Amino acid sequence: MTGIKKIKGAAMQLALLIATVVALLLSSFLLLTHTHSLFRTQSNQLFDVIEGANKGMRFTFSSEKYGADSVIIANDLSKTIVKKEHWGAFEKIQATTHKGSKSFSKMAFTAGGDIKKDLAIYVCNTNLPLVLAGTAHIQGNAFVPDRGVKAGVISGNYFQGKTLINGHISQSNLNLPELDPDWLQYVKAVQQYIPSTKDEPLDLQLENQQSFFEPTQYLYTSERLFTSEKYVGNIMLISTSEIIIGPQTQLTDVLVVAPKITIQSGFHGNATFIAEEQVIVEQNVHLNYPSSIIVAAIHSEEEEEENLNTEETPILISNNANVEGSVIYLVEAPFDSNSKNRSRVHIRTEPNAKVHGMVYCMGNLEHLGAVSGSVYTQKFIASAEGSKYINHLYNGSINALDRHADLYSILFSNTQKTTVKWLY
C-alpha cells in the first residue's frame, strides 16, 4: 500500500509539473500574441504618423491649396499640424502628425522653380532691343522686348556667335514676373528686426549649432561684426552696421542680415545673406547650394537716387567666385528706366564669376561671368572705356540647359513648391 501511495504522489507531482509547464507555455504564447498585437498597433501608428507628416508636406506644395501660416488636417484617428514660415530665400515647412501615443515631425526648406521651362533670360519690355556683343552666349528660351534681339559691337568687339539666342523667343511684359508677396513682406520685416525678450540669444562659442526643431538663436549687435566661428542650423547673425564673413568662418544654413555684408576671399559654405545696401562676394568665394544673396532696398528708386552712392554696386560677384543658388536685387517700387541713375549697375558679375541657379534683378544687370540657369532683369547694361551701353549683354553667358534639374531657390507668386533640403 505504501508503494502504491508513493507512485500516486509522484504521478500527482508530474501532473502538476506538466500543468504548470503548459500554463507557462500558454501564458507565454498569450503574452507573445499580445506583444505582437501591441507591436503591430504601435508600428501601424508609427507608419501612419510618418505618412501623415509626408502628406502634410505634400499639401503645402500647391500654392492653390495652402496660403495660411498654419493649417490643421484632422480626421477621427489622427491630426496633422502644418506650419509655414520663411527662412531667407525659402519657405520653412514643418508637418507634425499625432495619432494615439505616437507623433512624428519633419521639416524642410521649400521653394519654387522657374515659371517657364528651360528659361534662359527674361528681359523687360522697355522699348529697347536686347543687343549682344563680343562672346555673349544665350542657350535656352528667352523673353525679350518687342523690339527684339540684334547683334552689336562694343569697343570694336562684334558679336561672335552664329545664332543670337539658341532657343525659342517670346515677347516679354513691362515688368518682371512677380515674386511671392508674403516673402517680400518677410524680407522687409527681417531687415527691421529688433530682438524681444522671448528671443533666445546665442551664447557665442567657437562652434555654434542649433536644430531647426528648436527656437531660433540670435546674435545681434549694433557694431561691425567680423566672424571666424562655426555656425550651423537655426541661427541668425544680425548687425545694424556691417557683417564681414572671414575666410575661416564655417556657415551651414544660417541667416546673415546687415545693411552691408562682405564675404571675404577663400570662404566656403552655404547661407542666406540679406542686406539693404550691398553684398560683396570677393574672389575665390564658393557659396554651396542652397545659398542666396539678397539686396532689398526698402526705399524707392527716387530715394535711392538721393541717399545712396551711385558708384557702389549693390551686389558684386567677383572674379572666380562661385554662387550655387539665387542672386536677387529688389526695390520697393519698380525700377524707373527714365530715372537719373538709369545706367547704374545693380548686380555685377565679373569675368569668370559663376552662378548656378537664378539671378533676379529689379534694375540693371552687368553680366560678364556665366550663369547656369535663368536670368530675370529689367535691363542688361555694359561698361567699356568709360561708356555705358543700355540693354547690352557683353561677353557674358547664360545657359538654362546646364542647370542641375533639382536646383530651386526662388519664390515666385502662385507657383508649385518643391523640397530644397530636409532639415535637422
Side-chain angles (χ1 to χ4, degrees):
M1 296 295 292
T2 304
I4 295 174
K5 288 182 180 179
K6 287 182 179 180
I7 292 173
K8 287 184 176 180
M12 182 66 71
Q13 290 176 354
L14 179 61
L16 289 173
L17 177 62
I18 292 173
T20 301
V21 171
V22 171
L24 288 173
L25 288 174
L26 288 174
S27 299
S28 299
F29 177 75
L30 291 173
L31 179 61
L32 181 62
T33 301
H34 177 72
T35 302
H36 280 197
S37 177
L38 181 62
F39 179 76
R40 188 182 305 110
T41 301
Q42 295 287 335
S43 297
N44 289 338
Q45 284 186 351
L46 181 60
F47 174 81
D48 289 343
V49 294
I50 292 175
E51 182 58 24
N54 289 332
K55 289 181 178 178
M57 296 297 295
R58 291 194 294 269
F59 177 80
T60 68
F61 291 165
S62 173
S63 60
E64 296 179 357
K65 297 179 181 178
Y66 186 61
D69 293 335
S70 181
V71 170
I72 297 177
I73 306 169
N75 55 40
D76 294 338
L77 300 176
S78 66
K79 180 174 71 173
T80 300
I81 302 173
V82 184
K83 295 181 179 180
K84 177 185 74 172
E85 59 181 321
H86 292 97
W87 182 263
F90 312 107
E91 280 185 351
K92 184 173 64 175
I93 304 297
Q94 180 177 3
T96 303
T97 298
H98 302 275
K99 183 177 182 180
S101 62
K102 296 293 182 182
S103 65
F104 182 78
S105 182
K106 64 191 309 182
M107 187 184 300
F109 286 152
T110 66
D114 280 319
I115 57 173
K116 299 292 183 181
K117 185 178 179 181
D118 299 331
L119 178 68
I121 62 168
Y122 191 109
V123 186
C124 291
N125 191 356
T126 55
N127 296 320
L128 292 171
L130 173 62
V131 181
L132 308 182
T135 58
H137 175 76
I138 299 174
Q139 181 77 42
N141 299 330
F143 283 77
V144 301
D146 56 7
R147 298 188 62 181
V149 186
K150 66 179 185 180
V153 57
I154 293 179
S155 299
N157 295 307
Y158 291 87
F159 176 66
Q160 299 178 18
K162 295 181 179 179
T163 304
L164 290 171
I165 293 178
N166 298 289
H168 181 72
I169 300 175
S170 303
Q171 182 177 318
S172 61
N173 295 321
L174 181 62
N175 297 315
L176 293 173
E178 292 184 358
L179 299 178
D180 184 341
D182 291 338
W183 177 75
L184 292 174
Q185 287 298 317
Y186 158 79
V187 172
K188 184 175 181 178
V190 79
Q191 288 181 302
Q192 300 171 333
Y193 164 80
I194 298 176
S196 65
T197 54
K198 64 181 179 62
D199 294 325
E200 184 173 323
L202 176 67
D203 183 15
L204 185 61
Q205 309 289 332
L206 289 178
E207 295 191 4
N208 307 275
Q209 301 186 45
Q210 181 76 343
S211 169
F212 281 97
F213 291 94
E214 300 294 332
T216 303
Q217 290 186 332
Y218 300 84
L219 177 59
Y220 183 92
T221 179
S222 59
E223 308 288 333
R224 172 187 287 185
L225 176 63
F226 180 90
T227 67
S228 58
E229 302 81 15
K230 179 179 180 179
Y231 302 90
V232 178
N234 194 14
I235 297 173
M236 290 180 63
L237 305 178
I238 305 173
S239 169
T240 58
S241 175
E242 179 181 4
I243 294 180
I244 300 173
I245 306 297
Q248 304 303 319
T249 306
Q250 298 179 56
L251 301 181
T252 304
D253 299 328
V254 303
L255 183 58
V256 182
V257 182
K260 183 175 181 180
I261 301 171
T262 300
I263 307 170
Q264 291 190 328
S265 178
F267 170 81
H268 282 227
N270 82 282
T272 293
F273 304 89
I274 300 179
E276 181 183 346
E277 298 175 10
Q278 186 179 45
V279 175
I280 298 174
V281 182
E282 293 187 347
Q283 296 186 18
N284 303 313
V285 166
H286 195 128
L287 298 182
N288 302 319
Y289 183 74
S291 290
S292 298
I293 297 169
I294 303 166
V295 169
I298 59 177
H299 42 261
S300 67
E301 186 70 21
E302 292 180 357
E303 292 173 319
E304 179 179 286
E305 292 181 12
E306 297 175 359
N307 300 328
L308 295 183
N309 179 2
T310 58
E311 299 301 319
E312 192 174 75
T313 302
I315 299 179
L316 174 63
I317 314 297
S318 300
N319 186 38
N320 291 321
N322 194 319
V323 178
E324 298 176 4
S326 56
V327 180
I328 303 171
Y329 173 76
L330 306 170
V331 289
E332 185 80 1
F335 178 73
D336 183 1
S337 60
N338 296 317
S339 68
K340 293 183 292 184
N341 292 327
R342 63 191 296 266
S343 63
R344 184 191 181 195
V345 176
H346 297 93
I347 300 178
R348 174 182 168 88
T349 64
E350 293 189 338
N352 298 317
K354 296 180 180 179
V355 176
H356 301 269
M358 299 182 214
V359 176
Y360 186 98
C361 181
M362 292 179 65
N364 296 326
L365 168 64
E366 183 173 18
H367 178 51
L368 302 171
V371 170
S372 296
S374 306
V375 170
Y376 301 80
T377 185
Q378 288 277 343
K379 294 196 303 290
F380 285 99
I381 199 164
S383 305
E385 298 181 355
S387 298
K388 294 287 184 70
Y389 297 83
I390 307 298
N391 225 22
H392 282 58
L393 176 60
Y394 180 41
N395 292 339
S397 71
I398 302 164
N399 190 339
L401 307 184
D402 192 38
R403 191 191 75 185
H404 193 280
D406 294 331
L407 197 157
Y408 302 95
S409 44
I410 199 165
L411 288 166
F412 287 104
S413 179
N414 299 319
T415 55
Q416 290 277 351
K417 306 297 192 304
T418 189
T419 301
V420 173
K421 181 177 184 177
W422 294 107
L423 299 177
Y424 39 89

